[in-house]
Amino acid sequence: MSGLRPSRRAWTIVAPAALALAVLTALVVAAHGVPFAMDAAVHDGALEHRTAGTLDAAKLLTDTGTGVVPYTLAAVAGWIACRRAQAVVASVAVLALGQLVRVTLRYAVDRPRPPLADRVTDSSGPAFPSGHATTSALAAGLLAWALLRVTPPLAGRLAAACCALWAVGVAATRIFLGVHWPTDIIGGWLLATCWLVLTLPVLGTFTDRLLGKPPERVTGHGTGRGAGGGRGTGAGQRTGPAERSDACSAADGP
């Protein structure tokens, strides 16, 4: 069952992210709809640098951060992870449940958006946390996770970086188009970080089981010799399956 729980290393990420989100949410609520000085400064700067061309490009990019595209990316992530329909459903469910959390928080906080005169694209509902920022970060995180499972380390990191750049670009368009304050974006990223760190271990364990991959276990004790004659390492020697890519290949057949 250990695979269903975030590791200690994961908690070192989710704990400060959750604390930062809680503090930011409390500050936003306490402000009663008044933007922070940093929000107003960045918002005004974005308005000053708008051109017809950059606005058109921003609208095209922002449209990829909601609706069909993020859910398609989540489905692709599930398929890449182990090529099973159940994994596709599970990956999409992670995104959908994350959206439920976001919407709940959004209406609980009920932060107003920037002035209507500053907005150049359709927007609805409260501002915090940003829906596009949260959704694109969740979809990018799922796809990066899947790619890192099945590709060589360097290629996986490059692919994950591309996913992150797309999510950052989508989030930036929300400020540029005048529909979100910068702290709405930060709130969305913090929420997405917490949700991915908490759910990806569960998703990983689920996909491993679909592949018939046994859970990782610890054998041996101390620093003595293990069952295979090698030396243990402190709390014991971990034994488990082969590389994830080999497991996927074996499960898929010849």
Side-chain angles (χ1 to χ4, degrees), residues 53-102:
T54 56
L55 285 175
D56 289 342
K59 289 176 183 178
L60 288 174
L61 180 55
T62 206
D63 286 343
T64 67
T66 189
V68 175
V69 174
Y71 281 93
T72 299
L73 294 179
V76 169
W79 182 254
I80 290 174
C82 73
R83 299 182 185 179
R84 298 290 187 275
Q86 299 97 315
V88 172
V89 173
S91 184
V92 171
V94 168
L95 176 57
L97 291 174
Q99 296 286 58
L100 180 61
V101 174
R102 173 187 63 80

Side-chain angles (χ1 to χ4, degrees), residues 72-85 87-88 91 142-151 159 163 207 211 244-245 248-249 252:
T72 299
L73 294 179
V76 169
W79 182 254
I80 290 174
C82 73
R83 299 182 185 179
R84 298 290 187 275
V88 172
S91 184
L142 285 164
L143 186 57
W145 162 80
L147 291 168
L148 287 167
R149 281 172 63 93
V150 301
T151 58
C163 294
T207 53
L211 293 170
R244 295 182 187 275
S245 57
C248 288
S249 299
D252 291 335

Side-chain angles (χ1 to χ4, degrees), residues 107-174:
Y107 282 96
V109 174
D110 198 25
R111 186 188 202 185
R113 290 179 181 267
L116 185 60
D118 295 341
R119 307 179 210 169
V120 292
T121 189
D122 294 335
S123 58
S124 61
F128 181 92
S130 165
H132 281 68
T134 308
T135 304
S136 59
L138 290 173
L142 285 164
L143 186 57
W145 162 80
L147 291 168
L148 287 167
R149 281 172 63 93
V150 301
T151 58
L154 179 57
R157 293 189 187 101
L158 289 174
C162 290
C163 294
L165 285 174
W166 167 72
V168 170
V170 169
T173 64
R174 306 309 287 169

Side-chain angles (χ1 to χ4, degrees), residues 28-52:
V28 168
V29 171
H32 300 292
V34 178
F36 304 121
M38 182 271 286
D39 283 330
V42 175
H43 176 79
D44 291 343
L47 298 185
E48 293 174 1
H49 290 85
R50 286 174 174 175
T51 65

